[in-house]
Amino acid sequence: MTLVSVIIPAYNYAAFLAEAVESALRQSHTNIEVIVVDDGSTDNTAEIAQGLMQQDARVRYVKLSANVGT
C-alpha cells in the first residue's frame, strides 16, 4: 500500500494543531504519516506536536529555526 504523507505547515498554530493532525489520521487510508512543519512558532506549537508524536508514531515534527513564511 502506498504511503501518503500529509504535511501541515504551522506558525503559531497550537490552538488548532491537535484537531488538524487527528483529522488527517482519521482518514480511511491507513498507510499515512503526518508531518508538522513548524515555521518558527513562538507559541506552544512545539509542545503540542511533541505530545502528538508520543501518542502516535505516524506523526513527525520538523522545526524551522526562524519564520520563513510567505
Side-chain angles (χ1 to χ4, degrees):
M1 184 180 293
T2 304
L3 175 65
V4 173
S5 298
V6 176
I7 300 171
I8 300 176
Y11 177 69
N12 292 337
Y13 200 59
F16 309 101
L17 186 58
E19 182 179 354
V21 169
E22 290 165 6
S23 176
L25 292 173
R26 281 194 307 266
Q27 301 306 305
S28 60
H29 188 80
T30 56
N31 194 17
I32 190 170
E33 68 177 350
V34 177
I35 303 167
V36 177
V37 180
D38 183 350
D39 191 20
S41 294
T42 57
D43 65 357
N44 64 335
T45 295
E47 291 82 6
I48 300 295
Q50 290 166 356
L52 292 166
M53 284 179 19
Q54 291 177 348
Q55 293 174 13
D56 195 312
R58 299 174 294 171
V59 179
R60 312 255 188 278
Y61 176 67
V62 176
K63 170 99 171 146
L64 303 179
S65 59
N67 180 266
V68 293
T70 58

